[in-house]
Amino acid sequence: MARLPLTTASYVARSLKASAQRCVNLYPEANPSDAPAPVMFYGTPGTSVWSTLPGTGPVRCLFKSSTGVLFAVQGARLYMLNGAVWADLAAMGSSTGLVCAADNGNSAVFVDGTMTAPTVNLGNFAVGAMSGDGWLGSNFVWFVDQHLVFFQPGTQKFFWTGLLSLTIDPLDFASAEGMPDSIVSMIADHRELWFLGDETMEVYSSSGDATEPFIRYPAGFNHYGCEAKFSVAALDNTIYWLGKNKNGGRMVLRAQNYQPQIISTPAIAEEFSSYSRVDDAIAWSYQQDGHPFYVLTFPTANKTWVYDVLTGQWHERAYRTDGNDLIRHRANCAVFYSGLNLVGDFEDGRIYSLDLDAYADDGAPIARLKDFPHIVTDGRKQFFSRFTLDCEVAVGNADDPDPQILLSWSDDGGNTWSNPIQMSLGKVGAYKTRAKANRLGSARDRVWRVYTAAKAKVAFQGAFAEAGVGTS
């Protein structure tokens, strides 16, 4: 009986003949060196409702202030968590699109690209707004060395407040003008400001000068820009974004010593090329069980892709609708609060916790799918008598007493698939369960697929197959 190991997450190549491996709501983790298989695939976290905002519209921002207060923006309203109650604080200038927030220890600011930018005093929670001749509106705000920093949409101009204040002198501005492209996005990381334009990027550091507090870092200019302003996220001591340059785009980049490195595979690039629009992509990041994840959602394409920094691999995340369609993950934004990874819903006011021990999305089944690599033996036909999934069993529970997993296969390189065969993952205590199927036909090129929507723990590290090889 031959072992069929699994090592690759999602890799659907331009030619399915090379690789047809789709991976949905599963991620790989390397096993110890003395384990029987090199890699285990685990189910991605489910979602449980942690709280629900009282207004209408999507959750556009979740922000924890430096003083530990949780704020949220839903639709056109700004809220603050007061005990177990959401207090309605102020109106935003818009009702859709992401909102960015930052604070200087005294006050928090919330921006949405309009001239309306509510402020909240973190001592007495008095509400105000950014104003004055120096206020130009912004999509982004970050705090660096006692200044809140913004940039004016559609320009090269960025500007800042006074020290630990909300006041902006009209003369306190500079321009990211290494090239004539406008600033698309910005982020603060390691006390540095990264300005990402259409085709270039510039990094500014603190100078210590009162009149010119930020100066361009000489090695921080590069000919890579940003294709989606809300795709920028900080993770694992660096930043990630959906980038482009004068030669092309739709590539995911990671900064390494100020040099962008492409981390999207050719298969991912091929996937992104099929989308009608990518400039609306949004990203958030989180860490769970030692895995730092960069989560990239394409709202128009209705798809979510996740890069696992620990393994350097990509996988899909999806929500299964009542009609069994797979759409983008429900998370629109994220925050780490009270020891929990919280995310806000992209359609309504639900705030979820991401929980590896939750096996549903707020009660809805989670579809999990993994394709195996091609099995080919010198071009000769193979006759498959048995397939046994190498998985954790006896995972039944009160929500799903007898969880099932489905096996199907493709004999034409991953283009079409057989009718599925049902296999049990085991009731509670049924530790000798074997998820297996018999008499599985023949093929010269076989690709196996396993799929489950069980509300149970899912963990597998490959399979075993019994097959005889023909003479031609």
Side-chain angles (χ1 to χ4, degrees), residues 43-298:
T44 54
T47 56
S48 303
V49 174
W50 180 78
S51 183
T52 302
L53 292 165
T56 59
V59 183
R60 305 170 62 197
C61 174
L62 291 172
F63 172 68
K64 185 183 77 171
S65 72
S66 60
T67 58
V69 180
L70 183 64
F71 295 88
V73 176
Q74 181 193 18
R77 305 301 301 180
L78 168 64
Y79 297 91
M80 179 185 73
L81 187 63
N82 183 9
V85 178
W86 289 100
D88 190 332
L89 297 182
M92 300 299 302
S94 64
S95 59
T96 59
L98 295 189
V99 171
C100 187
D103 75 78
N104 59 14
N106 299 320
S107 298
V109 180
F110 300 83
V111 298
D112 62 1
T114 71
M115 292 297 291
T116 301
T119 64
V120 181
N121 185 293
L122 297 177
N124 59 20
F125 303 114
V127 176
M130 298 298 295
S131 61
D133 293 339
W135 172 242
L136 304 172
S138 186
N139 286 114
F140 295 90
V141 55
W142 295 94
F143 178 76
V144 177
D145 285 354
Q146 302 186 73
H147 299 277
L148 289 166
V149 186
F150 313 82
F151 77 83
Q152 184 180 14
T155 74
Q156 298 177 310
K157 189 174 183 178
F158 65 96
F159 54 100
W160 53 87
T161 65
L163 297 177
L164 300 178
S165 80
L166 297 178
T167 303
I168 301 173
D169 188 313
L171 298 179
D172 284 344
F173 71 90
S175 295
E177 51 191 21
M179 287 290 285
D181 54 339
S182 298
I183 300 172
V184 172
S185 188
M186 68 176 284
I187 191 170
D189 188 60
H190 290 79
R191 297 176 57 235
E192 295 176 326
L193 287 165
W194 293 63
F195 295 101
L196 302 165
D198 284 315
E199 293 184 359
T200 62
M201 52 170 273
E202 300 183 30
V203 180
Y204 280 70
S205 58
S206 296
S207 67
D209 185 270
T211 58
E212 191 179 7
F214 303 106
I215 58 174
R216 185 189 299 148
Y217 182 67
F221 181 86
N222 209 292
H223 286 276
Y224 279 92
C226 181
E227 198 154 12
K229 62 186 176 184
F230 291 122
S231 68
V232 185
L235 178 68
D236 195 41
N237 279 316
T238 189
I239 67 170
Y240 296 75
W241 73 99
L242 183 67
K244 65 176 181 177
N245 59 22
K246 64 180 181 180
N247 298 315
R250 306 197 178 198
M251 51 188 151
V252 181
L253 302 170
R254 174 177 59 195
Q256 184 172 339
N257 297 326
Y258 306 105
Q259 300 301 310
Q261 307 292 319
I262 300 174
I263 61 169
S264 46
T265 63
I268 291 294
E270 174 70 13
E271 170 74 16
F272 293 173
S273 71
S274 69
Y275 298 165
S276 63
R277 182 181 179 187
V278 299
D279 65 307
D280 61 344
I282 61 173
W284 49 277
S285 59
Y286 77 106
Q287 183 167 311
Q288 196 167 41
D289 265 20
H291 291 256
F293 294 110
Y294 170 75
V295 184
L296 183 63
T297 292
F298 297 87

